[in-house]
Amino acid sequence: MSVRLILLLSHALFALGVYGVLTRRHAIGLLLSIELILNAAALNFVLFSRAFGHVEAQAFALFIIALAACEAVVGLAIVIGLARHAHTVFADQVDLLKG
Amino acid sequence: MTFALLLLAAMVLAGAVWVVTLRNLFRAALSLGVVLLGVAGLFLLLEAEFLAFVQILIYVGAILTLVVFAIMLTARLQGTPGTAASPASRQRVGGALAALALFAVLAGATQPLLWPEAPPAGAVPLAALGQQLVTRLILPFEVISLVFVAAIVGAIAIASGPPGGARPR
């Protein structure tokens, strides 16, 4: 089992997620990129749980998955609210709070 | 084992690149499904069968379905790719540079470290995980359920229309 290889993979997943957050303009695209980042973290936790024999690491991976579900639900609700009130889904066109 | 690992790694990486680069958001969401299935396969390789099952059930089964629903609900506002209504993504070069720098820093930080060459013989048993969740980790476990309730109530409050049902368009 190659810890280093899977670590590199999770780093790549994280970096790709950051790239998506920086470049995506569609709000749902941002959410998808955040899911990538959260998955990279969960992958790390499971990898360390296997490498060091820790039970807690798996529990925290479970918490990450649960929190990702919450984040997706609230994020998508905000997107639908945005589409209703601001009539846009692009994150940089939302200026409801601008005076 | 190594072959399966490389195959899953290629699947995850290709899917992740598609998620952040595809202009069609629906296809990006489907590529996210590929990534999530690949990560679930990696969980299986790491002998975390329960987490692999949870990953498929919650991510692919629930979150991805929600995302697809949201994409279809807001499709009217997206515009067709390539037109003025759907502008290109911003700051591609800067974003790529920042992501590459982040990857380099992370890899430079973790690759020189000494990792245990031989992992512990037995994988973490599911019974131990369940026992930890209701004894030592009971507080975060219960907080998660509170967060779930808050998220559900908040999502319904945000996404539902104004009271009365009739909304001005």
Side-chain angles (χ1 to χ4, degrees):
Chain A
M1 194 186 66
S2 42
V3 175
R4 286 200 175 82
L5 190 66
I6 303 183
L7 264 180
L8 267 188
L9 178 64
S10 87
H11 293 339
L13 208 55
F14 188 88
L16 279 170
V18 169
Y19 172 79
V21 170
L22 289 177
T23 54
R24 278 274 184 203
R25 298 181 61 246
H26 197 293
I28 299 178
L30 289 175
L31 274 178
L32 295 184
S33 309
I34 293 175
E35 298 295 336
L36 282 187
I37 293 178
L38 288 170
N39 247 286
L43 181 59
N44 261 357
F45 268 115
V46 174
L47 173 65
F48 293 150
S49 137
R50 183 69 188 101
F52 298 102
H54 277 185
V55 184
E56 291 88 346
Q58 280 206 9
F60 276 93
L62 201 61
F63 294 154
I64 286 180
I65 293 178
L67 284 180
C70 292
E71 172 257 350
V73 166
V74 176
L76 293 174
I78 290 176
V79 171
I80 289 177
L82 266 185
R84 178 170 296 157
H85 295 294
H87 301 291
T88 181
V89 282
F90 294 105
D92 54 352
Q93 288 174 1
V94 183
D95 48 9
L96 286 179
L97 290 182
K98 212 181 251 179
Chain B
M1 170 102 184
T2 317
F3 176 71
L5 178 62
L6 289 179
L7 197 69
L8 285 171
M11 179 175 159
V12 167
L13 275 184
V17 169
W18 285 334
V19 169
V20 293
T21 53
L22 281 183
R23 295 286 300 277
N24 186 333
L25 208 61
F26 191 76
R27 288 184 194 160
L30 292 186
S31 332
L32 183 71
V34 173
V35 175
L36 298 173
L37 285 176
V39 172
L42 284 173
F43 285 0
L44 273 184
L45 270 189
L46 294 168
E47 296 175 55
E49 294 88 0
F50 176 65
L51 279 176
F53 186 64
V54 166
Q55 166 102 356
I56 291 176
L57 201 68
I58 295 184
Y59 261 118
V60 185
I63 295 184
L64 209 56
T65 316
L66 264 182
V67 169
V68 168
F69 262 109
I71 289 173
M72 293 197 290
L73 281 176
T74 57
R76 198 167 38 84
L77 297 168
Q78 263 176 58
T80 39
T83 60
S86 172
S89 51
R90 314 158 290 178
Q91 310 284 346
R92 280 202 190 171
V93 179
L97 281 181
L100 268 180
L102 183 68
F103 177 75
V105 167
L106 285 174
T110 56
Q111 290 303 302
L113 297 179
L114 282 177
W115 300 102
E117 281 311 317
V124 172
L126 180 54
L129 177 63
Q131 229 158 28
Q132 287 287 318
L133 276 181
V134 291
T135 52
R136 263 194 64 203
L137 298 172
I138 185 75
L139 184 64
F141 188 66
E142 292 297 331
V143 169
I144 286 281
S145 50
L146 201 66
V147 171
F148 266 130
V149 175
I152 292 170
V153 173
I156 293 174
I158 293 172
S160 68
R167 60 172 199 265
R169 282 312 312 246

